[in-house]
């Protein structure tokens, strides 16, 4: 008898010892899409996949996911479209507040606020996502397209963002970040790494933004950037969209025609990028120049290395204050690399890009005190790069 019952007993024991099998929750386009899609996100359990079918989903409110370990997957960013053109509120299209989430293969269009925001969501993957404001660049568009913040382990791979009134792809107050194989165009800032650390921005296209790739550290935020940001192998070309950020935003000060901008961050390398068609400068390195009360904040960029970049035409339409006058003084155009000179030797700007235009400005000093001159960088060996790896499960989810 025991031998006859053994298989059944073993199966029962396995059912008890193994968690419930992950399941697919399928949501197709059609009537009541808002309720059906939000219900699927609420009902999902760790390990489940919410599969969104091909078609256009007309939504009237933002969506949210707060269950960890869930994959949200569409049929492709041109086939599965979540449209928020009829959104009644002013929030984001999709808000994620849980860990180990994978978002892939769908589009978000015309959200009133940010496209997709994840907050405190560790080990999050954005793969093959499109976020777009279809009416083109407007100050009334949402601020951010893809917006992970206050997170550890962030992978953004194959994402396209168009029309954000602040930054298309923005990662803030986070650590261990990879942004790769993505496209940012017609945003104010194409890609922005802000108050973050240990980031690789590689093999992306940033074009027709106001500024292509920004690396910032700002005062008075809950988390300060740890630095160690590597901007390498990107194509940053023809960033020529007039700045359309709402007044008061920090990116409202970014000059039209900026390629790569490093402000007040430490240990940043800008290497092996293809840079051209940026009317103000291909690369700008500047201090944070506004007044601040954050006593622990360092407004200077430190340990910045610019090396091996391919520089095409630049500096032909400088939009920064005094830029046109400087260009006339230098024969009509500015050099591809610009440094405000603030901080002097403590900045430690090195590399083989050049020549570099420096203004030799003191912190807080007006532009009329500038002493513009051309300098050559010292090609010193930089400190060893602080490498990191994302969890293998994240890389597997992005395949």
């Amino acid at each position: 008898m025991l031998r006859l019952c053994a298989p059944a007993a073993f199966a029962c024991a396995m059912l008890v010892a193994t968690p419930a099998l992950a399941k697919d929750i399928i949501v197709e386009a059609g009537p009541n899409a808002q309720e059906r899609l939000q219900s699927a996100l609420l009902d999902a359990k760790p390990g489940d996949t919410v599969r969104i079918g091909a078609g256009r989903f007309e939504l009237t409110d933002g969506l949210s996911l707060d269950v960890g370990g869930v994959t949200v997957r569409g049929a492709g960013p041109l086939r599965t479209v979540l449209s928020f053109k009829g959104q009644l509120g002013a929030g984001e299209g999709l808000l994620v507040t849980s860990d180990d989430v994978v978002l892939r293969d769908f589009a978000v269009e015309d959200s009133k606020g940010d496209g997709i925001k994840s907050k405190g969501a560790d080990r999050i993957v954005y793969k093959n996502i499109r976020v777009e404001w279809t009416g083109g660049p407007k100050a009334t568009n949402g601020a951010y397209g893809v917006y992970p913040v206050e997170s550890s382990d962030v992978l953004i791979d194959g994402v396209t963002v168009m029309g954000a009134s602040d930054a298309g792809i923005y990662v803030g107050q986070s650590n261990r970040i990879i942004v790769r194989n993505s496209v940012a165009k017609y945003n104010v800032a194409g890609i922005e790494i802000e108050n973050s650390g240990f980031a690789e921005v590689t093999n992306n296209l940033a074009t027709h933004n106001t500024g292509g790739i920004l690396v910032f550290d700002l005062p008075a935020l809950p988390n300060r950037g740890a630095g160690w940001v590597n901007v390498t192998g990107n194509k940053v070309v023809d960033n020529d969209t007039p700045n359309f950020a709402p007044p008061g935003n920090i990116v409202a000060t970014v000059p039209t025609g900026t390629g790569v901008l490093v402000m007040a961050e430490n240990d940043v390398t800008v290497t092996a990028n293809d840079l051209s068609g940026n009317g103000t400068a291909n690369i700008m390195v500047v201090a944070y120049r506004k007044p601040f009360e954050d006593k622990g904040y360092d407004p200077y960029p430190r340990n910045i290395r610019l090396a091996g970049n391919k520089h095409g035409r630049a500096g032909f339409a400088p939009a920064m204050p005094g830029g046109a006058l400087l260009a006339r003084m230098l024969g009509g155009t500015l050099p591809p690399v610009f440094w405000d000179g603030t901080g002097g030797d403590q900045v430690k700007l090195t590399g083989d890009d050049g020549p570099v235009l420096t203004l030799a400005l003191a912190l807080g000093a007006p532009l009329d005190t500038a002493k513009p001159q051309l300098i050559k960088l010292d090609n010193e060996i930089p400190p060893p790069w602080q490498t990191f790896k994302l969890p293998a499960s994240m890389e597997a989810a992005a395949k």
Side-chain angles (χ1 to χ4, degrees):
M1 177 179 281
L2 288 175
R3 284 199 300 268
L4 290 173
C5 293
F10 177 75
C12 290
M14 287 300 295
L15 286 172
V16 171
T18 305
L21 294 176
K23 64 181 182 295
D24 286 356
I25 304 174
I26 299 173
V27 184
E28 301 290 359
N32 302 316
Q34 178 78 48
E35 294 78 7
R36 292 185 292 109
L37 188 48
Q38 183 59 71
S39 293
L41 296 172
L42 289 171
D43 293 342
K45 301 294 188 294
D48 287 352
T49 297
V50 176
R51 293 191 177 273
I52 311 174
R56 190 171 189 84
F57 293 72
E58 302 290 348
L59 305 172
T60 57
D61 200 1
L63 301 168
S64 62
L65 173 65
D66 62 3
V67 180
V70 171
T71 296
V72 181
R73 186 167 192 162
L78 296 178
R79 299 185 64 208
T80 298
V81 178
L82 309 183
S83 173
F84 292 88
K85 187 167 285 188
Q87 187 175 3
L88 300 177
E92 51 276 314
L94 172 61
L95 173 64
V96 178
T97 54
S98 49
D99 299 338
D100 301 294
V101 167
V102 178
L103 307 172
R104 61 175 302 161
D105 304 318
F106 63 90
V108 167
E109 291 184 354
D110 298 317
S111 57
K112 293 297 190 292
D114 308 319
I116 306 175
K117 178 178 180 179
S118 53
K119 184 173 183 179
D122 297 339
R123 298 174 300 281
I124 188 164
V125 176
Y126 293 81
K127 172 69 175 183
N128 200 26
I129 295 287
R130 176 174 61 89
V131 177
E132 182 176 359
W133 284 269
T134 59
K138 294 179 182 177
T140 53
N141 291 351
Y144 304 108
V146 167
Y147 180 17
V149 65
E150 297 178 15
S151 302
S152 295
D153 299 313
V154 174
L155 176 56
I156 298 172
D157 187 0
V159 166
T160 297
V161 182
M162 293 178 278
S165 66
D166 194 306
I169 298 171
Y170 171 100
V171 186
Q173 303 178 61
S174 298
N175 286 290
R176 297 188 300 278
I177 303 148
I178 294 178
V179 181
R180 68 189 182 205
N181 308 324
S182 295
V183 176
K185 54 186 178 179
Y186 301 107
N187 309 286
V188 176
I191 300 170
E192 183 173 349
I193 307 296
E194 183 179 286
N195 286 60
S196 294
F198 307 100
E200 292 189 5
V201 180
T202 181
N203 198 37
N204 303 288
L205 170 63
T207 186
H208 298 304
N209 307 284
T210 301
I213 299 176
L214 279 52
V215 182
F216 282 3
D217 196 46
L218 302 177
L221 290 176
N223 297 312
R224 189 162 290 122
W228 299 104
V229 179
N230 188 11
V231 179
T232 185
N234 303 282
K235 191 170 185 178
V236 186
V237 297
D238 300 328
N239 287 287
D240 51 13
T241 295
N243 196 314
F244 60 98
N249 286 18
I250 186 66
V251 296
T253 63
V254 175
T256 301
T258 299
V260 177
L261 174 57
V262 179
M263 183 173 71
E265 189 55 279
N266 63 279
D267 298 291
V268 179
T269 61
V270 182
T271 61
N273 300 283
D274 186 351
L275 307 161
S276 68
N278 303 302
T280 293
N282 282 342
I283 301 176
M284 299 182 73
V285 180
V286 301
Y288 182 82
R289 307 192 63 81
K290 293 186 176 182
F292 61 91
E293 298 180 358
D294 184 346
K295 294 182 179 179
Y297 177 67
D298 189 337
Y300 301 113
R302 291 92 64 205
N303 298 328
I304 312 299
R305 182 167 177 81
L306 316 175
N309 296 292
K310 179 182 177 181
H311 287 284
R313 183 169 178 252
F316 50 86
M320 60 190 177
L325 176 60
L326 279 172
R328 286 197 297 272
M329 291 170 59
L330 294 170
T333 62
L334 299 181
V337 182
F338 169 85
W339 172 35
D340 65 2
T342 304
D345 292 340
Q346 79 177 77
V347 169
K348 200 170 185 182
L349 190 64
T350 65
D352 58 16
D353 285 24
V356 174
L357 172 64
T358 178
L359 299 186
L361 279 170
L363 189 67
L367 283 172
D368 59 12
T369 65
K371 301 178 180 65
Q373 55 187 298
L374 296 178
I375 62 171
K376 185 177 179 181
L377 301 178
D378 293 326
N379 193 15
E380 298 181 12
I381 298 174
W385 173 251
Q386 300 295 302
T387 59
F388 68 95
K389 284 188 177 181
L390 297 179
S393 59
M394 296 178 66
E395 294 288 359
K399 289 183 178 179

